[in-house]
Amino acid sequence: MSPPSPPSPLLSQLTTSGFVIIPSFLSPAELTTLRTASAALISLSSSGHWPHVRTTGKQFPPWDPSLVPHSSGIWGVQHLLHPSLPLPQDQRDAFVRLYFSPKLLSLSREILSLPPNDDNNSDQGLVMELFNLLCKPTDGKGFELSWHRDDIPASASAEEEMGGLHKPEEVYSHTQWNLPLYQDSSLILVPGSHVRPRTEEEREADLYEPELEGQVVVDLRPGDLVFYDNNILHRGVYSGERERVTLHGSVGRADAGEEGEGVRRRARNVLQHGVGGWVEQADFSCLGEGGEREVAEGMRRRLVEMGRVAGEVGYSLVG
Ligand SMILES: O=C(O)CCC(=O)C(=O)O
């Protein structure tokens, strides 16, 4: 399936560079509400009251909950839509409202080449995916992720890389975003690397190479939003001192023409994080009974269906 011609400016920039920034996406009031909920969640998680965390020293899932809080700091909290999130209802609702907010989904639709949801119709072909949070390592020590593509291993040949990368003549099957609640310059990427194999220099570079040619530090102010192709060559560099609370999510397109291995691949990207175990119990009642709720329920249904079709999915990367 091809994207519309000409593509929207947002999609065009994402296709060209591999990322696109939307400044001041959140209002000051939204920022305050989400900061409060996130701070409470990070505090509960780092004291061991929420087991679904990313522990420092480990880059990819699965993370071992038994490591917290004894031997490790955390650099992320998983499953912000989980029905058992140990927060007051209004704080849990803040995450639900944000993830399914019409303004976020409408940008996602644009990137996924789906028509706008003008008639508030639930059948818009979006799929619920991931919603997590990335934070300053709570052990106070710096931590770095290696250069990687989220769903293509470093061992891939140039041909295998090309097979896994987005093809600009096709629609995106999903899109991923970071939404920092404080100034954030932790994400580093190589623009354009989402549509080409690694150069010889990139292939031979150390996985923790501090400076790859052409790299860009994505510098975001509180409330800015960045969408990026998660197979762009990227890494994270986290300071143990500078505040970081960045919401990190993704949303998919149900009918991107992927079948068989394609569905399994996307399902693996999402379900390897353990979402399948709780998605059917998630509570979206704060969205009421109108169009927003219908959209959310439709997105949930399509994720459940994707998991059913894909079966056992395994993990994308090891480490
Ligand atoms: O910290 C970030 O913004 C990037 C995270 C990342 O690369 C990952 O989770 O694979």
Side-chain angles (χ1 to χ4, degrees):
M1 202 179 309
S2 319
S5 176
S8 81
L10 206 60
L11 176 58
S12 184
Q13 202 178 327
L14 181 71
T15 309
T16 307
S17 308
F19 71 107
V20 56
I21 297 172
I22 292 98
S24 305
F25 172 78
L26 288 180
S27 68
E30 289 169 322
L31 206 48
T32 304
T33 305
L34 289 165
R35 279 180 177 172
T36 305
S38 302
L41 184 59
I42 293 166
S43 166
L44 285 164
S45 303
S46 64
S47 58
H49 293 92
W50 181 243
H52 305 292
V53 292
R54 300 182 178 203
T55 45
T56 52
K58 190 165 190 328
Q59 176 160 350
F60 304 117
W63 288 279
D64 180 356
S66 68
L67 290 176
V68 178
H70 312 288
S71 50
S72 210
I74 65 173
W75 64 280
V77 182
Q78 302 287 94
H79 307 323
L80 271 54
L81 301 177
H82 197 296
S84 310
L85 211 61
L87 291 178
Q89 192 66 49
D90 61 323
Q91 295 185 355
R92 289 155 54 154
D93 291 350
F95 292 132
V96 173
R97 288 186 210 284
L98 186 265
Y99 185 83
F100 294 109
S101 64
K103 67 176 177 176
L104 185 53
L105 295 184
S106 118
L107 294 172
S108 308
R109 278 197 189 94
E110 204 175 315
I111 287 172
L112 298 176
S113 308
L114 285 165
N117 186 20
D118 292 336
D119 54 359
N120 238 354
N121 172 353
S122 68
D123 189 24
Q124 291 296 319
L126 289 177
V127 187
M128 177 183 151
E129 290 200 348
L130 301 171
F131 190 19
N132 301 319
L133 175 163
L134 305 173
C135 60
K136 175 182 76 173
T138 55
D139 56 5
K141 298 183 197 147
F143 173 54
E144 298 184 9
L145 305 187
S146 62
W147 286 105
H148 67 284
R149 306 184 190 274
D150 279 0
D151 204 26
I152 303 176
S155 58
S157 66
E159 201 180 7
E160 286 164 344
E161 279 185 287
M162 282 312 283
L165 293 174
H166 176 64
K167 293 169 191 55
E169 65 279 11
E170 293 179 3
V171 296
Y172 265 108
S173 61
H174 65 281
T175 187
Q176 180 161 309
W177 47 262
N178 273 9
L179 178 52
L181 306 183
Y182 296 89
Q183 194 275 336
D184 188 359
S185 49
S186 310
L187 176 65
I188 303 174
L189 44 75
V190 180
S193 61
H194 61 303
V195 283
R196 59 154 178 83
R198 283 162 296 171
T199 62
E200 272 316 300
E201 189 202 354
E202 288 164 351
R203 249 173 201 284
E204 280 164 21
D206 189 276
L207 283 177
Y208 294 89
E209 170 63 48
E211 186 78 42
L212 274 188
E213 190 180 336
Q215 75 174 39
V216 164
V217 176
V218 181
D219 195 12
L220 302 167
R221 288 167 306 163
D224 288 353
L225 175 67
V226 61
F227 284 93
Y228 61 103
D229 183 319
N230 70 340
N231 275 331
I232 197 167
L233 199 53
H234 68 285
R235 68 188 299 236
V237 177
Y238 311 126
S239 154
E241 286 152 23
R242 217 176 26 247
E243 187 55 286
R244 184 185 205 211
V245 179
T246 290
L247 304 177
H248 178 64
S250 70
V251 59
R253 171 174 174 138
D255 64 344
E258 293 189 340
E259 282 171 3
E261 189 45 34
V263 172
R264 276 184 61 74
R265 234 184 117 195
R266 193 59 212 145
R268 183 173 56 224
N269 221 273
V270 177
L271 300 170
Q272 64 178 337
H273 290 266
V275 181
W278 53 266
V279 60
E280 288 179 85
Q281 288 78 48
D283 175 12
F284 304 149
S285 58
C286 67
L287 300 177
E289 297 301 328
E292 267 187 69
R293 176 77 178 275
E294 281 179 40
V295 168
E297 295 297 345
M299 289 176 68
R300 179 216 309 260
R301 260 196 320 275
R302 287 184 279 272
L303 174 60
V304 171
E305 174 61 11
M306 185 168 86
R308 195 190 59 73
V309 171
E312 187 52 48
V313 289
Y315 297 96
S316 300
L317 301 175
V318 179

